[in-house]
Amino acid sequence: MKKKYLIALGIITIVTLLVIVAGIIILASRKEQNINIPDTTSNTIPDEETPADEEEPEDETPQQPQTQEVDPSIILPDFEITTVVGGLDHPWDVDFLPDQTMLFTQRGGSLSVFRNGSTIHTFDFEDAYSRGEGGVLGLAVDPEYSRNNYVYVCLNSSRGANPEIRVVRLKLNSALNNIDERTDIVTGMPSADGGRHSGCQVEFGNDGYLWVGTGDRAVGSEPQDPVSLGGKILRVNRDGRAIEGNLGSPYDSRIFSYGHRNVQGLLFFPTNLGFSFEGFSIEQGPDMNDEINILRPGNFGWNPIPGYNESVPMTDKSLYPNAFDAMFESGSRTFALSGGTVLVGNVWGNLQGTIVAGALKDEKLTFVKVNRDGSYLSTINAFEGQFGRIRTAQIGPDQALYLLTDNGGNDSIIRMMPK
Ligand SMILES: [Ca+2]
Ligand SMILES: [Ca+2]
């Protein structure tokens, strides 16, 4: 009996142990599931199209910042492409009044007003010094145009003792067929007699100030000269005066950055897109390395001396270790990048926040995506040879992309709208 009792006790003990082990296994597997469930939940959060508020997430899962990352893919939509204006000669820059009236410059010496399918007026600049790359160039409409009727034009002018480049502020009348007032707000920017490397781009930043991209007029000492306005980016108010945040002494108080070759593109990212920088400048390299540079105060490293020695690097780190590297370089050859813009508006979907630069020599558009911090992500080139040389691309108030061709004689302003 005692033996039977012991056997029964042994069996009971083994069964009990088995039940306990099975219980532990079941509990452990449930716990695993429990771990997985919140994981799945947290992975769904970034996919939601909730507006990105600036609240810090409570838990510090490293996946959370991915909601702020930019998708690097650049897949172009089909476009509806129309010629808005034809028969032009080297149109250089385009901008829009608040009522969407289009203004554009032509390098030979004019500013035109285009509305409802036709040019309603063209202003000719008597003092335009139009040679080579110089003439009537950059254009910007004042963000407060509704209040002040100001537009700004950059031109090589014969008003000085020698040809020089000026930013002039024009006050347009309400019929847009007369200039009530012209004030030359930045004068004395150096111009080559032949017009080479004249810059000159003007654009308002998110800060409400006027930014001016200038050229080195093919003189080697200009870009690093702290007093000359050549080979620089300037930042001024609407009277052309210096503002806070520029480099300061020994630099001319209007200079924001220096060491540039020929700044023909300036583009600003609207603050609501969530990028942590102001914008970019674009300049062409000599025989390699066109550059797209983030806007920041300091040296961008071009110093083509003695004479005009174009064999030096666009960003000469051997001379200036602290010079800013370009965000984008064209590499072992140039595309001849000129003006550009940033895609803004819901019609661009996933492409919103993409830089678009026009290429003269390569006759194409270069699309570049950047991270939130302004670092390079990806690029594609498109429309090669389709329009000829492209002077600039500009986003319009209708969210369409406007291109200016630069072939000479029969140029166009082309509108591209995603279908
Ligand atoms: Ca402009
Ligand atoms: Ca550089």
Side-chain angles (χ1 to χ4, degrees):
M1 275 305 282
K2 197 175 182 184
K3 198 178 175 186
K4 277 188 178 175
Y5 173 76
L6 282 173
I7 289 169
L9 192 66
I11 289 170
I12 289 166
T13 309
I14 287 166
V15 168
T16 309
L17 280 172
L18 283 173
V19 167
I20 289 169
V21 168
I24 288 169
I25 288 169
I26 289 165
L27 275 175
S29 74
R30 278 198 186 156
K31 207 170 183 186
E32 240 173 72
Q33 283 173 7
N34 283 343
I35 288 166
N36 284 338
I37 289 163
D39 254 19
T40 315
T41 312
S42 75
N43 283 343
T44 62
I45 289 170
D47 294 331
E48 287 176 7
E49 293 282 311
T50 49
D53 57 22
E54 297 305 313
E55 279 175 33
E56 287 294 320
E58 286 289 304
D59 77 58
E60 65 292 342
T61 52
Q63 287 86 352
Q64 206 65 22
Q66 285 179 3
T67 54
Q68 291 300 310
E69 284 186 5
V70 178
D71 176 355
S73 63
I74 303 177
I75 300 164
L76 297 183
D78 289 333
F79 286 98
E80 183 186 307
I81 299 176
T82 50
T83 298
V84 181
V85 197
L88 302 178
D89 190 37
H90 297 292
W92 212 96
D93 202 6
V94 62
D95 209 344
F96 298 85
L97 300 182
D99 68 358
Q100 303 200 8
T101 296
M102 186 171 78
L103 305 182
F104 61 88
T105 54
Q106 291 180 83
R107 199 177 67 197
S110 65
L111 166 68
S112 295
V113 181
F114 185 90
R115 182 193 276 168
N116 298 331
S118 60
T119 299
I120 60 172
H121 193 76
T122 294
F123 301 100
D124 292 313
F125 291 84
E126 301 293 320
D127 61 319
Y129 181 86
S130 180
R131 306 277 193 289
E133 297 163 16
V136 176
L137 306 174
L139 165 69
V141 172
D142 196 301
E144 295 185 28
Y145 180 87
S146 305
R147 182 177 61 80
N148 59 29
N149 289 9
Y150 288 159
V151 302
Y152 303 78
V153 172
C154 196
L155 75 157
N156 299 62
S157 166
S158 58
R159 277 194 177 180
N162 299 304
E164 63 178 51
I165 298 166
R166 297 183 165 203
V167 177
V168 304
R169 189 186 70 201
L170 310 172
K171 186 182 176 90
L172 302 184
N173 70 348
S174 55
L176 301 174
N177 60 10
N178 205 356
I179 294 170
D180 286 345
E181 182 186 298
R182 165 174 163 170
T183 309
D184 294 18
I185 62 167
V186 183
T187 61
M189 295 188 284
S191 167
D193 287 347
R196 190 168 180 221
H197 290 185
S198 294
C200 174
Q201 182 57 270
V202 286
E203 200 75 19
F204 273 86
N206 299 319
D207 54 9
Y209 294 118
L210 185 65
W211 296 60
V212 185
T214 77
D216 66 11
R217 69 160 171 159
V219 170
S221 58
E222 294 283 4
Q224 298 290 327
D225 183 334
V227 178
S228 167
L229 300 182
K232 306 295 187 312
I233 293 176
L234 317 178
R235 199 162 144 264
V236 297
N237 67 14
R238 54 174 55 82
D239 297 322
R241 293 188 217 286
I243 51 165
E244 292 292 318
N246 291 338
L247 292 175
S249 179
Y251 297 90
D252 183 288
S253 56
R254 294 164 291 185
I255 294 174
F256 177 77
S257 64
Y258 62 101
H260 297 284
R261 185 169 183 261
N262 192 22
V263 179
Q264 297 191 308
L266 285 174
L267 55 103
F268 295 86
F269 276 56
T271 49
N272 63 9
L273 292 187
F275 290 83
S276 65
F277 52 85
E278 183 91 14
F280 292 90
S281 65
I282 305 171
E283 55 186 306
Q284 185 187 341
D287 54 11
M288 58 189 291
N289 285 339
D290 296 339
E291 290 186 345
I292 304 179
N293 288 306
I294 198 161
L295 296 170
R296 56 183 129 191
N299 190 1
F300 284 79
W302 174 243
N303 187 29
I305 55 170
Y308 195 59
N309 174 17
E310 294 189 86
S311 67
V312 303
M314 275 292 275
T315 304
D316 196 338
K317 303 288 272 191
S318 68
L319 290 178
Y320 311 110
N322 296 326
F324 296 123
D325 289 314
M327 178 279 289
F328 171 89
E329 291 177 329
S330 63
S332 60
R333 51 188 301 282
T334 64
F335 307 163
L337 291 182
S338 179
T341 193
V342 56
L343 298 178
V344 179
N346 296 334
V347 299
W348 296 101
N350 185 40
L351 289 176
Q352 191 161 206
T354 303
I355 295 166
V356 187
L360 295 164
K361 186 174 75 182
D362 272 15
E363 304 185 347
K364 67 188 180 186
L365 288 175
T366 297
F367 294 77
V368 182
K369 271 197 169 177
V370 294
N371 281 308
R372 299 280 169 202
D373 63 1
S375 57
Y376 174 82
L377 257 185
S378 58
T379 187
I380 64 160
N381 297 295
F383 303 102
E384 275 157 269
Q386 191 166 332
F387 308 110
R389 293 160 55 87
I390 299 173
R391 169 55 63 187
T392 196
Q394 177 70 47
I395 199 79
D398 57 354
Q399 303 186 12
L401 184 64
Y402 289 81
L403 308 183
L404 276 56
T405 72
D406 187 69
N407 301 303
N410 189 20
D411 282 313
S412 308
I413 299 176
I414 291 159
R415 180 180 183 269
M416 302 177 66
M417 191 67 163
K419 278 181 179 168

